Amino acid sequence: NYTGETCSSLILSNPCENNPCGFGLCISNETQYSCSCPQSFVGSNCQFNNECFNSNPCQNGGACSINSQGKF
């Protein structure tokens, strides 16, 4: 099955089929997916290194946190 204006986009039977979560675990409800990322990766598709976890760059007792673009 295809979708889109020109019917050129394949509709996947399983949204996790193309491994959209990169380094994470893909969880599907048959039409949508979400990613469960290991601590060392962040982002909606586990696409960013978690610099807070990997190197702990904050000094003097600062708390490190990651934004949606993977920046701390």
Side-chain angles (χ1 to χ4, degrees):
N1 291 337
Y2 291 84
T3 188
E5 191 172 308
T6 61
C7 296
S8 59
S9 298
L10 179 64
I11 298 173
L12 299 175
S13 59
N14 177 354
C16 291
E17 189 173 321
N18 287 341
N19 192 28
C21 297
F23 298 100
L25 173 67
C26 186
I27 302 163
S28 169
N29 70 359
E30 296 183 20
T31 58
Q32 297 179 335
Y33 74 91
S34 63
C35 299
S36 176
C37 304
Q39 286 185 326
S40 55
F41 289 91
V42 295
S44 60
N45 291 326
C46 306
Q47 72 270 34
F48 301 115
N49 283 320
N50 182 347
E51 294 300 325
C52 292
F53 179 78
N54 294 329
S55 64
N56 193 18
C58 298
Q59 299 177 4
N60 300 314
C64 187
S65 63
I66 301 290
N67 68 16
S68 61
Q69 286 80 40
K71 306 291 182 195
F72 61 92

